[in-house]
Amino acid sequence: MSSKEEIEENSISEGLLLRRNGSNGGGSSGSLRWVDGSEVNDNQEEVYDKNEEIIRKSNYGSVRRRLKKPRRVDSLDVESMQIKGVNGGSQHKKDVPLLATLSLAFQTLGVVYGDMGTSPLYVFSDVFSKVHITSEVDVLGALSIVLYTIALIPLMKYVFIVLKANDNGEGGTFALYSLICRYANVNLLPNRTPADECISSFKLRLPTPELERAVYIKEILERKSLLKTILLLLVLMGTSMIIGDGILTPAISVMSAVSGLEGRIPGFNTDALVIISIIILGALFSIQRFGSSKVGFTFAPALALWFFCLGSIGIYNLLKFDVTVVRAVNPVYIYLFFKKNSTNGWSALGGCVLCITGAEAMFADLGHFSVKSIQIAFTSVVFPCLLLAYLGQAAFLMKYPQSAGRIFYDSVPNTLFWPVFVIATIAAIIASQAMISASFSCVKQAMALGCFPRVKVIHTSKEHMGQIYIPVINWFLMIMCMLVVAAFRSTTSIANAYGIAEVGVMMVTTTLVTIVMVLIWQTNLILALCFPLVFGTMELVYMSAVLSKILEGGWLPLVFASLFLCVMYIWNYGSVLKYQSEVKQKISLDFMDELGCTLGTVRVPGIGLLYNELVQGIPSIFTQFLLDLPAIHSVIVFVCIKHIPVPVVPQEERFLFRRLCPKDYHMFRCVARYGYKDVRKEDHHLFEQFLVDSLEKFLRNEALDLALETNKQSQPQFDNNVVSPRDNSDELKVPLMRDQRSEIGTSISEPSIIAASGDEDPSLEYELSALREASESGFTYLLGHGDVRAKKNSWFIKKLTINYFYAFLRRNCRGGNATMRVPHMNIMQVGMTYMV
């Protein structure tokens, strides 16, 4: 690959970074500063127009920019317009009016419950393919298992318990992992700093006083690296199985809906079923790039009509054929079912578990809605309609047991067949859409937390930042779905594979929620253990049943899950080793002192933005720039894009600054912090202008802090907030002043500040003039292309993993997050090999 091609491949967003920041910051030497983004107006167009005018007035002095209009490249995360509400704090909805909650509950029908709502299409047909109906015990036993499964797992477990274990309104396995990472430092990437704990969304509200047991468990988790690895693998396994669901759900849902044409249209055989299913799947995945799921109301009416059909047809069959099937609420029929059918009954249990497919979506899609809306929708609509649907099908089977293979469509009255068929097909497509979107969300969260290779992510909605589209994942899912349909050719065969992924995700969620109960909620130990004892036991029983189908197709989700698990773990493993190598090789301050303020080279006017992953210190890649470049910029800013295990970092808490060396070096550290749901979209001209403004305010507040330090005896109220400017520790500390306007303005009057600061510091004026001169000369983005290799004395497995698998992923993923919409002509890149 040529140098130009390599630059183009790597020219995507590393965060570009400081999102429209017109902030107040401050700090003394060796300390940190908040850069307050609260000056940004919610009217983004007004802000953009204002700052673009400022930029047009600025003289950058760059010959390269004058000669040619810069070429822009796609961003890593965002290719849509500005998304509302991403500049502020948490997306978690609080104090939502009742009407708004009911509106959200209606929307959940179209996004959350599509998968579970279409399960009546294939549950009983799969169950009775293993157990032939010879008596009423078969029907009543299977019905009883289905009823209690729906009542215990989706209703009791998810609606009333798991939904409460949300991370500031976000759900899913990675949300649980981030929650645990905030309480206990179990993240394998060692880049956590004390300043992160001051983010408002980072803090945990513990419902009970801290217990000795919770502290003891926390210390064990933090001390044992093996436990950290096991926890990470558990989370990655759950995420891999959700992606596996994204492959199997469209296949089984679409085929089940289209299978209604068999027996209704002469000559419609299995080949026709497969071909039509593949065509529908191709159309389904082709429209993903248009963002067909961006508004819940688009799908909610169709799913509401579908649930109405399920309930109505269930009541009709129940009253017409056999109302006595309500006897199935007696759990004795479960015992009689297994007593009569023995091993076949155990195999049929794998079909019963299909009635709760999509239950994990209630938790995974929580970020788009609220806990109350999901609870209301399930308890008032989904739960009763599903119960009526299964009761009606059981009543029909009591009279027509030979219809078990096509139970859903045979139980529909003839006059309603075609309308119900159309609605069922639409519902199946919507159900598929929900799991595809869930797969996109899981990949984005994994990528943000350093557990998935960087891929192109497109936001498809201006209203909701959670609505995303990932092209490479979309086409991979489409190809896999088509292959599954072509290979298995029947819903029964796909159902054998479907249950393993679903139950696996539930077991992972049960384990993580139990940890949350013990560590964070500090629930009574007996009650906390009851949760895995009850629900974990049920899921283990179901897992034992579905694992018996490995040879019948159950191997498929295990292969998919293993593939994604290996990709995610190898990427995380290589990234952690690379970060640890950078930490060990970072440049010492003694070496910088020896170089002097000229850095052993010529300092030319300009600002160099060097992107790296270190949150502290000077990266070793900087020496490569000093060696390879004939001169270095007069101002150097080391920019670190850091992902915090929180959903959203409020704009006013996003950025930290510090000075790295003495003043005459003009070197600074900037840490831009993002949550795993944050959206990044900044024009590089705006970023550059805001960076200069932020640095100017940083320098002014630094001078102010020095003045306050000298007058601290006369201003004792600042004693707890000021960090000594002579503190040369490289540790990132809590910012001195989180909001200059609010804290300083309320604690000391403006005349007092002026009196404390005295006359304008000549050194400050000199540094400000040097910064302005550098900004007029233009910005250059300094990128390091790191090649990671295993040491020669490493184990063979490590060499194979790092030198081949991890290297392959790095070569074929999108480049670093640094250059969103940055002109290629403003980039300088050097290579460096890290031996790990």
Side-chain angles (χ1 to χ4, degrees), residues 202-448:
F202 194 99
K203 298 174 183 176
L204 298 171
R205 298 177 180 177
L206 302 180
T208 59
E210 191 168 353
L211 299 178
E212 184 178 350
R213 166 177 49 84
V215 176
Y216 176 71
I217 296 175
K218 173 186 174 183
E219 291 175 351
I220 292 178
L221 285 175
E222 292 179 342
R223 191 169 58 248
K224 302 290 187 180
S225 59
L226 178 61
L227 294 179
K228 294 181 182 180
T229 304
I230 292 175
L231 183 62
L232 176 64
L233 287 173
L234 192 65
V235 173
L236 297 183
M237 188 183 303
T239 304
S240 302
M241 290 183 176
I242 289 177
I243 299 174
D245 271 352
I247 297 173
L248 298 175
T249 295
I252 191 172
S253 298
V254 172
M255 283 197 73
S256 298
V258 177
S259 65
L261 296 177
E262 290 182 316
R264 290 282 177 170
I265 298 179
F268 190 89
N269 54 19
T270 302
D271 292 336
L273 171 64
V274 171
I275 292 174
I276 292 180
S277 298
I278 290 177
I279 292 174
I280 293 177
L281 287 172
L284 171 64
F285 284 98
S286 298
I287 64 174
Q288 293 300 310
R289 62 192 184 94
F290 299 110
S292 57
S293 65
K294 61 185 177 182
V295 179
F297 274 118
T298 305
F299 303 116
L303 262 295
L305 184 59
W306 168 250
F307 281 111
F308 174 77
C309 290
L310 288 180
S312 302
I313 295 173
I315 293 175
Y316 170 80
N317 290 330
L318 190 63
L319 297 177
K320 180 177 180 180
F321 297 109
D322 191 351
V323 74
T324 63
V325 293
V326 296
R327 293 175 292 166
V329 297
N330 187 348
V332 172
Y333 285 102
I334 299 177
Y335 166 75
L336 296 176
F337 177 81
F338 286 113
K339 182 180 179 181
K340 176 178 181 296
N341 295 289
S342 186
T343 306
N344 290 335
W346 195 261
S347 180
L349 194 61
C352 294
V353 77
L354 298 178
C355 68
I356 54 173
T357 55
E360 185 68 24
M362 286 192 287
F363 189 47
D365 292 333
L366 181 60
H368 303 300
F369 305 101
S370 65
V371 173
K372 285 187 178 180
S373 63
I374 293 178
Q375 290 174 333
I376 290 173
F378 185 83
T379 55
S380 62
V381 178
V382 179
F383 184 63
C385 288
L386 287 177
L387 293 187
L388 290 173
Y390 289 116
L391 286 169
Q393 290 185 19
F396 186 86
L397 288 174
M398 295 289 280
K399 188 171 183 179
Y400 301 103
Q402 69 279 5
S403 297
R406 299 182 71 257
I407 175 58
F408 178 79
Y409 285 109
D410 284 355
S411 64
V412 175
N414 290 331
T415 55
L416 298 177
F417 173 80
W418 288 108
V420 171
F421 171 78
V422 173
I423 296 172
T425 304
I426 296 174
I429 294 175
I430 295 173
S432 305
Q433 176 66 55
M435 290 309 300
I436 295 170
S437 299
S439 300
F440 293 160
S441 298
C442 287
V443 170
K444 184 178 185 297
Q445 290 182 18
M447 188 168 56

Side-chain angles (χ1 to χ4, degrees), residues 633-761:
H633 303 81
S634 58
V635 177
I636 300 293
V637 180
F638 296 92
V639 181
C640 171
I641 304 301
K642 180 180 179 182
H643 287 91
I644 309 295
V646 296
V648 176
V649 176
Q651 178 65 30
E652 65 274 11
E653 303 176 14
R654 189 176 304 282
F655 309 110
L656 299 175
F657 278 92
R658 71 168 294 149
R659 187 188 294 276
L660 290 179
C661 293
K663 284 189 175 182
D664 53 352
Y665 281 67
H666 305 299
M667 295 174 62
F668 305 91
R669 158 73 62 193
C670 172
V671 179
R673 302 177 297 182
Y674 291 85
Y676 57 80
K677 296 288 285 186
D678 270 325
V679 176
R680 303 192 301 273
K681 179 180 176 66
E682 298 88 358
D683 181 271
H684 76 96
H685 285 309
L686 292 176
F687 157 66
E688 293 164 1
Q689 184 65 39
F690 284 127
L691 177 63
V692 173
D693 294 341
S694 301
L695 275 178
E696 286 185 1
K697 293 174 182 177
F698 174 86
L699 296 174
R700 292 184 185 278
N701 284 301
E702 181 182 50
L704 173 62
D705 290 335
L706 289 172
L708 291 174
E709 176 70 13
T710 59
N711 294 276
K712 62 181 178 180
Q713 292 184 353
S714 61
Q715 304 294 341
Q717 61 267 39
F718 280 85
D719 285 353
N720 293 331
N721 288 336
V722 178
V723 176
S724 171
R726 290 173 293 277
D727 181 6
N728 294 322
S729 171
D730 201 36
E731 178 72 16
L732 290 177
K733 299 180 179 63
V734 178
L736 297 185
M737 285 165 276
R738 178 168 172 178
D739 189 331
Q740 295 289 339
R741 292 173 301 172
S742 62
E743 294 188 13
I744 294 180
T746 57
S747 61
I748 186 169
S749 63
E750 186 68 24
S752 299
I753 296 178
I754 296 175
S757 59
D759 297 332
E760 196 71 39
D761 186 357

Side-chain angles (χ1 to χ4, degrees), residues 459-665:
H459 285 259
T460 59
S461 171
K462 300 178 184 180
E463 302 292 334
H464 307 289
M465 69 177 185
Q467 304 287 345
I468 60 176
Y469 165 66
I470 305 179
V472 64
I473 299 298
N474 181 72
W475 302 124
F476 175 80
L477 294 179
M478 183 190 75
I479 294 172
M480 291 297 103
C481 278
M482 291 180 174
L483 291 177
V484 167
V485 170
F488 285 82
R489 302 177 63 84
S490 71
T491 57
T492 300
S493 299
I494 299 177
N496 293 334
Y498 197 21
I500 293 179
E502 191 69 31
V503 179
V505 176
M506 292 179 181
M507 293 177 67
V508 171
T509 300
T510 299
T511 304
L512 295 178
V513 171
T514 303
I515 297 175
V516 170
M517 285 181 168
V518 175
L519 270 182
I520 302 172
W521 293 355
Q522 296 174 1
T523 309
N524 181 277
L525 187 60
I526 296 178
L527 294 178
L529 293 178
C530 285
F531 180 76
L533 186 63
V534 175
F535 299 107
T537 301
M538 287 185 61
E539 289 157 3
L540 283 174
V541 170
Y542 276 124
M543 180 58 77
S544 66
V546 295
L547 285 177
S548 64
K549 302 180 180 180
I550 286 183
L551 298 180
E552 302 173 24
W555 55 268
L556 185 63
L558 296 179
V559 171
F560 287 144
S562 299
L563 173 64
F564 280 98
L565 177 63
C566 289
V567 169
M568 289 191 286
Y569 184 75
I570 289 173
W571 182 263
N572 180 265
Y573 176 69
S575 300
V576 169
L577 290 181
K578 179 177 179 291
Y579 185 87
Q580 292 174 344
S581 177
E582 288 184 336
V583 171
K584 294 177 181 178
Q585 298 177 23
K586 66 182 180 180
I587 303 173
S588 66
L589 294 180
D590 293 338
F591 178 75
M592 298 301 297
D593 290 338
E594 293 177 4
L595 290 178
C597 62
T598 62
L599 301 178
T601 183
V602 179
R603 302 293 292 269
V604 296
I607 297 180
L609 304 179
L610 196 155
Y611 288 83
N612 65 101
E613 298 178 359
L614 289 182
V615 295
Q616 304 175 37
I618 301 174
S620 57
I621 193 72
F622 185 55
T623 58
Q624 293 296 120
F625 283 101
L626 295 178
L627 293 173
D628 294 350
L629 300 181
I632 199 68
H633 303 81
S634 58
V635 177
I636 300 293
V637 180
F638 296 92
V639 181
C640 171
I641 304 301
K642 180 180 179 182
H643 287 91
I644 309 295
V646 296
V648 176
V649 176
Q651 178 65 30
E652 65 274 11
E653 303 176 14
R654 189 176 304 282
F655 309 110
L656 299 175
F657 278 92
R658 71 168 294 149
R659 187 188 294 276
L660 290 179
C661 293
K663 284 189 175 182
D664 53 352
Y665 281 67

